Amino acid sequence: MSGGSLSLIRKGYSLLRGMLPLSGKASLTKLVYVFSGKPFVKDDKISIEDKFPNKERGGAIFSADFEMAWAFRFTKEATDPYEFALKKARQERANLPLILKKFEEHGIPVTWATVGHLFLESCQENTHGWMKKMPHFTNRFWQFTAGDWFDHDPYSNFREAPEWYAPDLIKAIRDSRVKHEFATHTFSHIDFSDKNCPVEVADDEIKASLEAINSFGLPGPVSICFPSGSWGNVPVLKKYGITIYRRKLKEVQLAYPYYDDLGLLVTLSSDAFDRSYPSWSSCDYQKRYMKTIDKAIKTNTIAHFVFHPSMDPWMINEVLPKVLGYAAAMRSQGKLWIGTMGEISRHIRSKKSST
Ligand SMILES: [Zn+2]
Ligand SMILES: [Zn+2]
């Protein structure tokens, strides 16, 4: 099929979707997963021998955007974004031990893309005073048109304001029986795009993240997941030793990580543990995610699953265990590699230097 007719079909599909109520959208999405080629695959020419550490046929990465109240304070979704942010943070606190347990049960590591501020035990009014100011902007999800970027910071500590700091939760992740990885999700959950984030602000955000992680006694991150679907300021990432980032594209969802123009690796997000359609049963969701794993194995790519720890607990209890169990079973059959963003980046770079 030509590119032109594909784009026409996509346009028609978007138009149809836009006219449907939520339940109609859910059924349509289900149909797309059953009958279309979704998730779409990015081809490559890399030898299967080199792709995974133990010559597995496909891979899986699970990354979490660990962000607490920082993610939602400018959301357009809620009439009171501040209250909404606190609510989400409390849900995240309640969910986190449960999530850790599920991943421990299957020995599966998570790449925790963590907002840098969460590493702090406390802060004061002038603690972030050295950082360049974020200019006002709006994007698809947020509206930051008044005040200062740090206006919501309580300048307090994790006991008094547990929605804004999380050293206790980070310790729980660090001390888990599974060796997880900490990626950065910027310091204050900023829109990192070239359009909205000046390079000086991006630089300070990564610098502050590194300082926060290092003063916690953890090594600097080699991986990043951008907040709010943004992407940009890649030279800054390179400067601070980040080697791989996650990106979401409309056209393809399954890919083996590939190099961008600056030599950083890109891992595409394949699907999210997100209960967008309440009418879907747990079985519908399980099938969808397992299909993605099967397809990664078949096409020698990586299924990269994204989740927010503040997600609906139903997803954690009813869907996640089945998907993790399936991934672990594929791993024990030698078909599936499961690891973190940093691990695959190191593996790919080691192959590059040996060739
Ligand atoms: Zn602070
Ligand atoms: Zn986020």
Side-chain angles (χ1 to χ4, degrees):
M1 201 180 297
S2 77
S5 41
L6 251 179
S7 101
L8 252 179
I9 289 174
R10 279 206 186 106
K11 264 189 205 138
Y13 173 75
S14 306
L15 203 69
L16 176 64
R17 256 189 93 85
M19 294 189 300
L20 289 169
L22 188 63
S23 61
K25 278 196 185 93
S27 313
L28 188 63
T29 306
K30 222 187 285 181
L31 278 176
V32 165
Y33 264 87
V34 175
F35 294 110
S36 81
K38 216 176 173 191
F40 299 116
V41 178
K42 182 182 188 298
D43 292 328
D44 62 68
K45 304 247 174 313
I46 305 159
S47 156
I48 182 70
E49 297 295 306
D50 285 342
K51 280 189 168 176
F52 301 104
N54 299 304
K55 314 227 184 301
E56 294 90 340
R57 313 304 294 175
I61 292 174
F62 297 84
S63 65
D65 293 359
F66 182 27
E67 48 205 10
M68 305 293 285
W70 292 93
F72 309 98
R73 62 214 160 103
F74 298 111
T75 185
K76 290 178 179 172
E77 247 182 90
T79 42
D80 187 343
Y82 179 71
E83 272 310 311
F84 182 76
L86 295 181
K87 206 176 126 203
K88 285 291 225 181
R90 287 167 196 150
Q91 184 70 61
E92 198 160 336
R93 274 200 169 269
N95 285 349
L96 206 107
L98 195 59
I99 295 171
L100 274 179
K101 197 163 160 263
K102 302 284 179 213
F103 279 91
E104 270 185 1
E105 278 166 13
H106 297 285
I108 293 181
V110 175
T111 306
W112 296 91
T114 308
V115 162
H117 199 276
L118 302 185
F119 288 90
L120 307 181
E121 299 239 339
S122 65
C123 70
Q124 288 156 359
E125 192 130 14
N126 60 359
T127 307
H128 321 303
W130 61 273
M131 295 174 73
K132 307 277 188 322
K133 298 280 175 213
M134 182 68 172
H136 292 151
F137 68 93
T138 51
N139 67 19
R140 229 177 107 205
F141 306 106
W142 302 341
Q143 192 165 346
F144 170 54
T145 45
D148 184 80
W149 184 252
F150 279 94
D151 276 351
H152 300 93
D153 192 332
Y155 302 124
S156 173
N157 61 67
F158 82 99
R159 286 192 183 84
E160 310 262 316
E163 297 87 357
W164 303 90
Y165 312 81
D168 53 330
L169 298 180
I170 290 168
K171 279 181 191 150
I173 295 170
R174 183 198 64 190
D175 298 340
S176 162
R177 274 187 284 131
V178 179
K179 199 173 166 3
H180 295 290
E181 174 179 318
F182 288 99
T184 184
H185 198 38
T186 75
F187 182 72
S188 62
H189 206 269
I190 214 150
D191 177 321
F192 216 70
S193 64
D194 293 328
K195 180 170 167 253
N196 294 327
C197 184
V199 63
E200 304 79 22
V201 176
D203 196 289
D204 286 353
E205 279 281 317
I206 300 300
K207 197 168 162 198
S209 278
L210 276 175
E211 280 172 11
I213 295 176
N214 289 340
S215 51
F216 205 90
L218 290 163
V222 296
S223 43
I224 185 171
C225 301
F226 299 100
S228 185
S230 63
W231 170 83
N233 281 297
V234 178
V236 173
L237 306 178
K238 190 169 178 166
K239 173 182 164 189
Y240 286 105
I242 287 169
T243 64
I244 185 166
Y245 56 80
R246 189 186 76 203
R247 203 170 173 193
K248 186 176 177 182
L249 296 180
K250 260 194 188 144
E251 306 75 33
V252 268
Q253 292 78 37
L254 281 172
Y256 188 76
Y258 57 92
Y259 286 103
D260 73 0
D261 294 344
L262 288 173
L264 270 79
L265 285 163
V266 185
T267 166
L268 295 185
S269 70
S270 309
D271 208 343
F273 294 129
D274 178 4
R275 196 181 185 186
S276 314
Y277 305 113
S279 65
W280 281 38
S281 69
S282 55
C283 196
D284 291 333
Y285 277 109
Q286 290 164 4
K287 271 197 224 153
R288 167 170 161 171
Y289 301 130
M290 291 191 292
K291 180 182 167 184
T292 301
I293 293 174
D294 285 342
K295 195 156 181 182
I297 293 171
K298 202 171 149 205
T299 57
N300 314 136
T301 54
I302 288 183
H304 188 149
F305 296 101
V306 179
F307 68 91
H308 290 85
S310 57
M311 66 185 149
D312 188 332
W314 177 88
M315 192 53 101
I316 306 169
N317 292 312
E318 306 299 326
V319 179
L320 200 59
K322 178 89 179 173
V323 179
L324 296 181
Y326 186 71
M330 291 299 111
R331 178 177 59 188
S332 50
Q333 290 174 27
K335 292 179 188 164
L336 189 73
W337 167 87
I338 308 176
T340 63
M341 288 170 63
E343 279 165 18
I344 201 67
S345 171
R346 281 188 289 275
H347 175 74
I348 294 171
R349 279 163 206 282
S350 75
K351 291 287 167 192
K352 197 185 181 190
S353 57
S354 67
T355 49

